[in-house]
Amino acid sequence: MSSLVYLIPLALLLGGAALGAFLWSLKSGQYDDMQGAAERILLDDE
Amino acid sequence: MSCCAPGAEAAAELGGPPSRDEILLASHDLADGLRQTDLSVPGVHCAGCIAAIEGAFRRVPGVEQARVNLSARRLSVKWRGEMPPPIFETVMTTGYAAHLFDNEDAAVDPELSRLLRATAVAGFASMNIMLLSVSIWSGAEPQTRQAFHWISAVLAFPALIYSGRVFFAAAWSALRQGRTSMEVPISVGVILAFALSLYDTAAGGAYAYFDAAVSLLFFLLIGRSLDHVMREKARSAVRSLIRLTPRGATVEREDGTREYLPAGQIKEGMLLAVAPGERLLVDGIVHGGRSDVDCSLVSGESAAQSVGPGSSLRAGTLNLNGALTLTATSDAGNSSLAEMVALMEAADGGRSRYRRIADRAARLYSPVVHLTALFTFLGWMLATGDWHGAISVAIAVLIITCPCALGLAVPIVHTVAARRLFEAGIMVKDGSALERLAEIDTVLFDKTGTLTTGRLSLANASQIEPSALAIAGAIAARSNHPVSRALAAFDDGLQMMPVAIAEHPGLGVECRIGRHLYRLGRAEWAVSGATAATMLSRDGHPLASFIFEDSLRQDAARSIEALKRDGFAVAIMSGDQERTVLRVGGQLGIGEVSARLLPAEKVARIAALAATGRKVMMVGDGLNDAPALSAAHVSMAPSSAGDIGRNAADLVFLRPSLLAIPDAIDIARQAARLVHQNFVLAIGYNAIAIPFAIAGQVTPLLAALAMSASSILVVANALRLRGIAGRDVASGWVADQMPKPLPPVVGRA
């Protein structure tokens, strides 16, 4: 029981962080061009 | 260019790039003088394409940034300055065709991100609550269980408010109009389940339904998002194709100055200057100049007409080779184009009356669910007198009976089907079009641009001396006339250097090569006294005569044959001359043809067929087909169709082959079969689960298991659509996906 006291908040925190990351990536337009993102990795920076 | 040499046909179809004025008008202001122009570039498809286009813009002065969006086949260019940099010219140097894009279309879709956020929140909450529930199911101590229930409640509450809103709002608006929809039992079930679980948790009870309530929302939101993504994707892809109505026109004022005005400011009586290659924005009467015009999009007529002062022209006509001035006889708002739109709206009957399968199911289903839950509650109330127990059982019934399976059954199949159609080069606007497509029994075709390519090709090439053909090709490459474009394919390169080229609208092209004067054009002009249609002459002596025909679209005969073999009634409805329509009908083995039909007559034909119980599919491309496209049960247009035609059609096919039609019908029918299977699965699951629920035997564990299992079953069944092989008729399907040889590059004047 005592381990749960910190394990559960930790689990929720990690889950919440993942949710936050997803919402952030959605907002910053990272899903706008899925195909392009996959292809751009092949391009050299100039 | 490597693999990505794009098709030149789209670029050749338009006269040339839009003017700088038009680009400026279509761009939008970002901030501090920075402007953005959006183009659609249908030809991009790999990293090489991105690098080529973005690289070309790096050297253009005035351009801040150019970025290709590969998924949307779109290019956005940010630039500074009074006038736009040479955007189109830059794209063209890379070999891609580009089309201007409406700025209002470029906005991001707020509804989709709202749905995705709601899905993400529901997903997060349901996963964490499930995690806690598993330990409760595996026998947690009462104390731990109590704590876990409270944590679940804290997680479920915000998720319910945030993600549930989508359903609550829809359910509320349905109830207010006195209807009931799928959202009503979902909302009632979820809210009641949450409220009772909260009460039980406070009272220290053993069972809570937080997990069921939230995961129900999660599964249903997945279905919603899929449905939405599919619709948006098709819409934006259709939009990004060629745009045929101009945004404005050049007005010539009394003092001789010219100004480019947006469509809304063009008024009746204005004098407009129409350059070669421009499309008319409004109806008008030619005031000065001579030219040949292409009316194929307006009337369905395939041959070009020559016009001079006094000729009346309709909006949408393409001016081919001479500069014209035109007195506008209408505004943009009441031109024949606008009338067509009004006719379309009036004709749009069959579609708005159609109810989607899911809606029909919901209408039957939700009263049953409500009544079952109500009677269960009353039954237990009478039997035991324990209101708490009775409500628990009734909620279990609600949750079990509005399974995610029903919410997912249709959208998941349609998403997979749309994906398969996309791979076959067909865009579908929404799921309802797929359902309607599966029902049809009659296919009506327009001729010009649908059964035929709408472009002329040389019919007697083998009978003409190659040297004469090469000369004709070299001359034709400098002209914009449809006949010239067919001949330009025979231009063999740089050997011939025509000089002093003069295009005489209505007659032909004249030029000098070496010491000789050549004329290519109308026979009596090139060679006095000749009668054949088009001739090439040297110093007045005939060299060759050419016969042209509007060639059939690729695989037209095979497609018609496939449709007939599958028992569809096939007919042609065209606005063109009777002779040409009959000839095409004869070539394709279509007995039922009608020619010289006006748009309203086409609609009347469809209405008459519909009145006899036929489900009609209309395939057409012209403006004159648009009302018929919206009147039909379901409609399809090639991507070369005008804006209005594409908007009116439910499906748009992007490849030249007409096999898209039997393929689309095939996929739609398979999808309809799978939707029915999915309904049978979902309802069969209910038939098994409801007795347990009514008997009060469903624990939260059982509810969660049943719900997930049925959803997975439905999704797995839908994915089978990917695996079902195309029929043998569609063996051309594989060939369709192979890289195609490039169409002959067509020169422009």
Side-chain angles (χ1 to χ4, degrees), chain B residues 39 84 93 149 234 265 309 317 324 399 409 450 506 520 536 593 597 730 749:
Chain B
L39 310 178
T93 56
H149 275 169
Q265 291 177 30
T317 304
L324 291 175
I399 287 191
T450 307
L520 172 68
L536 174 69
V593 301
L597 290 180

Side-chain angles (χ1 to χ4, degrees), chain B residues 244-246 278-284 293-305 307 312-320 326 330 335-341 343-344 446-450 454 573-577 596-602 618 620-629 640-645:
Chain B
L244 292 176
T245 39
E278 237 180 273
R279 235 171 240 283
L280 301 194
L281 176 71
V282 294
D283 301 346
V293 295
D294 176 359
C295 308
S296 60
L297 215 58
V298 183
S299 65
E301 222 159 322
S302 48
Q305 294 170 3
V307 295
S312 107
L313 293 175
R314 287 159 71 188
T317 304
L318 177 65
N319 181 17
L320 290 170
L326 195 77
S330 71
S335 67
S336 50
L337 253 166
E339 267 169 49
M340 207 75 89
V341 176
L343 199 57
M344 267 165 62
D446 166 49
K447 183 186 74 72
T448 315
T450 307
M573 289 204 304
S574 176
D576 203 354
Q577 316 282 344
R596 304 205 72 94
L597 290 180
L598 295 174
E601 290 173 329
K602 290 193 177 186
M618 174 77 201
D621 75 320
L623 292 177
N624 59 332
D625 298 313
L629 287 173
S640 53
D643 283 343
I644 296 192

Side-chain angles (χ1 to χ4, degrees), chain B residues 708-723:
Chain B
S708 316
S710 68
S711 297
I712 290 169
L713 201 65
V714 167
V715 171
N717 190 41
L719 289 177
R720 286 198 315 133
L721 188 56
R722 298 191 77 91

